[in-house]
Structure formats: structure tokens, C-alpha cells
């Protein structure tokens, strides 16, 4: 009967053992493999646990970011009554005093899309949102779109806003909503928020939180 490869290997190893040669015998190799198996399993288990912890951490971090956006809220106490139409038919005939002392009559801007951008300088998400709005603003003429930035942080002075606008090269008009009357009128409870008015001054929609330039552009294009 022919010998199996295991029998041949065992016989060869016996001869090597008798000759005094150093060698790892077949049964020893099997023993090593058996002994290493729990160790390999343990290492694999640790790696899997580690990857799971990293994944859960990223998920929690994402949820925390969302909660941070939603947690930027205020209690506004201004006048929340609706503004009646002007004799010209413009739906929102507001008069807004800018930080440079001029007055913007929204009714004088009939035919334009008006964007009321509620923010404050030290708002983390407003920084990126403002840059996106600046990009979009450059794509439309002053005859098409009017952007008015409304600062809702009482502690931020006129000088603070002027410096912020200058450093970021924002050319839109700036207004301070120190009594929160504007924010209250449009139920703005967090920043950044943008209110879009149609060509006739009618309320169109509101974008809350950090928004991409595409979202802003889409809101404007629907009203042009």
C-alpha cells in the first residue's frame, strides 16, 4: 500500500531527529498553528471593535453638529403683526435703517427679489453661509436682487459690523435688528436664516441654517 504524504513526512522527520539535525517537526507545526489561532482571533476581534468605535464616533460627531445648528436659538419680542400693502401694491413696505444712516424703502425696490439675511458676526455657521451668499450675489445685477444683511446680536456694534463687512468685502447693506422686530416678523429663531421676498414684496420662503450657493441660487431663480 502506498504511503500517504503524512507518513512519508513523519518518517523523514524521525530520521532527521535521530541524526541530531535541528528541525521543526510536523506535529510541532500543527501545535503552533493551533496555539496561534486564539491569538489571531483576539487581534481580529480588537480590530473590529476599534473600527466600530470609530464609526460610532463619526456618527455622534455628525449628530452633535446638527444639534449645534439647531441649538442656536433666541427669544424675540418684537412686533409680529403683518405689514399691509403700500398704495403701490407692494406687499412688504418696510423702511429699514442701515448702519451708515441711510434708509431703504422696500417698496422702492419693486421688481427685485429681496433677500433678508439674518445673522451675527460671531455665529460660526454664518461665516460660511455669508461667503456662499457673496458668491451668489455676484451672479445677479443690482436691478435683479437686493440683499440686506440683518445683524441680530445686540452686543455687536456698528463699528464691529463695518469692520466685518470690510474684511470680507461684503457690499450689501447692513441693518441692526436690536429689538428683534424683524426677526419676530418672520419667525426667525436661529442663525443663519434667509427670507426671500418676491418682486411684489410677497413672502416666498425661508432657508434656515447653513445653505449651499446652489440652494440660494435656486430660491432666487424661482422668483425672477
Amino acid at each position: 500500500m502506498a504511503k500517504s504524504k503524512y507518513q512519508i513526512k513523519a518518517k523523514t522527520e524521525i530520521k532527521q531527529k535521530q541524526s541530531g539535525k535541528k528541525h521543526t517537526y510536523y506535529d510541532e507545526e500543527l501545535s503552533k498553528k493551533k496555539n496561534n489561532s486564539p491569538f489571531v482571533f483576539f487581534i481580529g476581534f480588537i480590530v473590529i471593535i476599534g473600527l466600530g468605535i470609530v464609526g460610532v464616533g463619526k456618527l455622534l460627531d455628525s449628530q452633535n453638529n446638527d444639534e449645534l445648528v439647531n441649538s442656536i436659538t433666541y427669544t424675540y419680542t418684537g412686533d409680529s403683526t403683518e405689514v399691509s400693502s403700500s398704495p403701490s401694491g407692494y406687499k412688504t413696505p418696510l423702511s429699514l435703517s442701515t448702519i451708515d444712516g441711510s434708509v431703504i424703502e422696500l417698496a422702492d425696490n419693486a421688481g427685485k427679489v429681496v433677500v433678508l439675511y439674518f445673522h451675527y458676526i460671531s455665529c460660526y455657521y454664518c461665516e460660511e453661509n455669508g461667503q456662499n451668499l457673496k458668491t451668489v450675489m455676484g451672479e445677479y445685477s443690482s436691478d435683479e436682487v437686493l440683499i440686506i444683511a440683518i445683524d441680530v446680536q445686540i452686543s455687536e456694534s456698528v463699528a464691529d459690523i463695518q469692520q466685518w463687512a470690510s474684511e470680507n468685502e461684503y457690499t450689501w447693506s447692513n441693518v441692526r435688528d436690536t429689538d428683534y422686530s424683524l426677526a419676530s416678523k418672520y419667525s426667525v429663531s436661529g442663525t443663519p436664516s434667509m427670507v426671500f421676498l418676491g418682486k411684489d414684496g410677497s413672502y416666498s420662503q425661508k432657508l434656515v441654517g447653513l445653505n449651499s450657493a446652489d440652494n440660494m441660487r435656486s430660491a432666487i431663480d424661482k422668483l425672477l
Side-chain angles (χ1 to χ4, degrees):
M1 180 181 292
K3 295 182 178 180
S4 70
K5 62 179 181 179
Y6 302 109
Q7 291 174 319
I8 295 173
K9 184 173 181 66
K11 185 176 182 180
T12 301
E13 291 172 346
I14 291 171
K15 289 181 179 179
Q16 289 174 334
K17 188 171 185 180
Q18 291 173 344
S19 66
K21 293 182 179 179
K22 291 183 178 180
H23 188 76
T24 301
Y25 296 96
Y26 186 66
D27 56 342
E28 295 175 23
E29 291 177 351
L30 288 178
S31 177
K32 284 185 177 180
K33 290 180 180 179
K34 290 178 180 178
N35 291 335
N36 286 339
S37 295
F39 178 73
V40 172
F41 175 78
F42 176 73
I43 294 298
F45 179 75
I46 293 299
V47 171
I48 292 173
I49 292 298
L51 291 174
I53 291 174
V54 171
V56 171
K58 289 183 177 180
L59 177 60
L60 291 176
D61 186 53
S62 175
Q63 291 176 337
N64 287 338
N65 286 339
D66 291 340
E67 290 173 358
L68 185 58
V69 174
N70 295 330
S71 68
I72 305 175
T73 56
Y74 307 87
T75 300
Y76 297 111
T77 58
D79 178 14
S80 61
T81 58
E82 291 295 324
V83 177
S84 59
S85 300
S86 69
S88 64
Y90 194 78
K91 298 294 195 295
T92 311
L94 289 174
S95 295
L96 304 177
S97 298
T98 68
I99 61 173
D100 62 8
S102 61
V103 176
I104 299 176
E105 298 286 351
L106 291 192
D108 293 340
N109 291 277
K112 300 179 184 179
V113 173
V114 175
V115 181
L116 303 178
Y117 173 43
F118 293 88
H119 76 105
Y120 64 96
I121 298 171
S122 54
C123 162
Y124 177 79
Y125 294 95
C126 297
E127 183 176 353
E128 184 175 348
N129 207 68
Q131 291 298 321
N132 290 342
L133 185 57
K134 175 184 174 181
T135 297
V136 172
M137 181 182 181
E139 300 172 5
Y140 300 92
S141 72
S142 58
D143 292 329
E144 294 177 306
V145 180
L146 172 66
I147 295 177
I148 302 172
I150 302 172
D151 191 300
V152 297
Q153 184 63 270
I154 297 177
S155 62
E156 293 176 351
S157 66
V158 169
D160 293 332
I161 299 172
Q162 289 173 332
Q163 181 179 353
W164 164 79
S166 176
E167 290 177 350
N168 289 281
E169 298 181 341
Y170 294 145
T171 58
W172 51 57
S173 297
N174 292 284
V175 172
R176 295 180 71 211
D177 190 20
T178 56
D179 63 353
Y180 305 129
S181 59
L182 292 173
S184 179
K185 191 178 300 298
Y186 293 103
S187 301
V188 173
S189 58
T191 57
S193 290
M194 288 179 288
V195 172
F196 295 82
L197 305 179
K199 293 181 178 182
D200 63 350
S202 58
Y203 173 82
S204 173
Q205 73 175 99
K206 178 170 60 181
L207 293 181
V208 180
L210 177 59
N211 273 272
S212 67
D214 285 340
N215 285 348
M216 300 176 191
R217 191 179 297 111
S218 177
I220 292 172
D221 287 343
K222 289 177 182 178
L223 299 174
L224 286 176

